[in-house]
Amino acid sequence: MIPLAENSGPTVIAAVIGLGSMGKGMALSMKRAGLDVVGYDIMPGAVDRFVAEGGRGAASPADAAADADIVVSVVVNGAQTESVLFGPQGIAATMKADAVFISSATMDPAVARNLAKRTEALGLHYLDAPISGGAAKAARGELTIMASGSRKAFETARPALDAMAGKVYELGNAAGTGAAFKMINQLLAGVHIAAACEAITFAAKQGLDLDKVYEVITASAGNSWMFENRVPHILAGDYAPLSSIEIFVKDLGIVQDMARSERYPTPLAAAALQMYLAAAGAGMGRDDDSSLARLYAKLSGAELPGSAKEPQSL
């Protein structure tokens, strides 16, 4: 991330819609890079926290986007993205001509294509730009961004992309391609988390030293980024949500819809989705996605760190 040079031209104004764990980090990364950043979130406290760190706050999405050259939407899904653009307080009617809308939500590629068509019909640019890397990388401006859109969309979005990302993949000139790449990532991520939770709970069932299992596996061929990242949550008995069960209920559901439309079998992703659904049904939907280990423990009688504190309803 390279800060904008002084006196290099007019200050770029960026609006961020959604100041959660990802959006706030992205907003602060842009601010550090010299952009004038205004933020909005449905939770007023999130806006207050952003303002306390030097940003500007807005009372509505439309107010945030009114003067922006770049709008970054960091919401959950396609339906929320559509609401940001075209809902009762939608920003499409208030964005200035030639501004760019950067969509960071994970969604079906067909939805991304439709939103891009509607947005571009209004004289705006749409960059399909889902993200990966988690809250820590968002805060450091080191996200991976999988982006597709017109050359003009990329050019207009460049100051924000440079500030937010360690790596920007430019994947084509049509919206929907970035979304498709993200769904491949989410298929793998969802399956890998489920496999990590299955493996570490299986180790617990055998009475193995779980800290030693973690040490051995992370130095062995069976390791994965998700095993290395999620198993420490399990070892600490800490399921505070960094990425929730419901995220993968949504994302693996999209994978299944896409696969069904293509008549393509995805049995591993389908099996993982059933585990996320079961965990959500057991009351863990808003907990960290490593909570799949708790579900495996309940099904098998295995004991995990902190299991004595589990609520009886699980």
Side-chain angles (χ1 to χ4, degrees):
M1 182 184 68
I2 302 174
L4 298 180
E6 292 185 9
N7 302 318
S8 61
T11 300
V12 175
I13 300 175
V16 177
I17 311 300
L19 294 170
S21 59
M22 298 295 288
K24 181 186 174 186
M26 294 160 73
L28 290 174
S29 294
M30 287 189 284
K31 184 178 180 301
R32 286 196 306 272
L35 282 69
D36 179 8
V37 185
V38 55
Y40 169 79
D41 193 277
I42 194 170
M43 302 298 292
V47 179
D48 293 341
R49 287 188 289 274
F50 178 59
V51 170
E53 296 193 46
R56 293 196 290 129
S60 72
D63 289 342
D67 297 317
D69 305 291
I70 301 166
V71 177
V72 184
S73 176
V74 197
V75 295
V76 172
N77 55 30
Q80 289 187 5
T81 305
E82 182 177 25
S83 180
V84 166
L85 281 165
F86 303 111
Q89 299 185 64
I91 67 173
T94 64
M95 287 177 66
K96 61 185 185 182
D98 225 29
V100 62
F101 180 83
I102 302 177
S103 173
S104 294
T106 302
M107 65 182 74
D108 189 307
V111 174
R113 288 190 290 270
N114 177 262
L115 292 175
K117 181 178 180 181
R118 293 167 65 185
T119 301
E120 291 165 352
L122 300 174
L124 305 169
H125 305 291
Y126 185 103
L127 193 67
D128 174 21
I131 55 179
S132 183
K137 287 191 175 183
R140 296 195 300 264
E142 297 176 356
L143 289 170
T144 296
I145 298 182
M146 307 164 222
S148 62
S150 69
R151 181 51 45 196
K152 182 63 175 177
F154 274 105
E155 290 174 359
T156 308
R158 187 64 59 191
L161 297 176
D162 288 347
M164 297 186 297
K167 180 67 177 180
V168 177
Y169 288 97
E170 299 188 18
L171 300 171
N173 59 11
T177 305
F181 271 80
K182 179 61 184 292
M183 294 320 304
I184 300 301
N185 181 79
Q186 294 307 92
L187 185 160
L188 289 165
V191 169
H192 288 176
I193 291 167
C197 291
E198 182 174 304
I200 198 67
T201 313
F202 187 39
K205 183 67 175 177
Q206 296 177 77
L208 301 182
D209 179 332
L210 297 188
D211 290 318
K212 185 60 69 174
V213 170
Y214 180 75
E215 178 185 343
V216 170
I217 296 302
T218 54
S220 303
N223 190 35
S224 68
W225 191 94
M226 285 300 185
F227 185 95
E228 194 162 339
N229 183 267
R230 295 310 202 266
V231 170
H233 306 183
I234 300 164
L235 300 182
D238 182 3
Y239 299 96
L242 299 178
S243 174
S244 73
I245 289 287
E246 288 290 359
I247 291 292
F248 282 99
V249 170
K250 171 181 70 74
D251 290 355
L252 291 182
I254 294 172
V255 168
Q256 292 304 302
D257 290 342
M258 293 170 62
R260 184 167 53 251
S261 71
E262 296 285 347
R263 297 299 186 265
Y264 183 83
T266 53
L268 297 180
L273 174 58
Q274 293 304 309
M275 296 304 294
Y276 289 104
L277 285 168
M284 293 181 271
R286 295 185 180 275
D287 294 341
D288 193 75
D289 51 34
S290 60
S291 291
L292 282 192
R294 297 154 71 197
L295 182 66
Y296 276 109
K298 289 293 178 181
L299 292 172
S300 67
E303 291 191 10
L304 295 172
S307 60
K309 299 182 289 186
E310 289 285 349
Q312 294 300 309
S313 60
L314 295 182

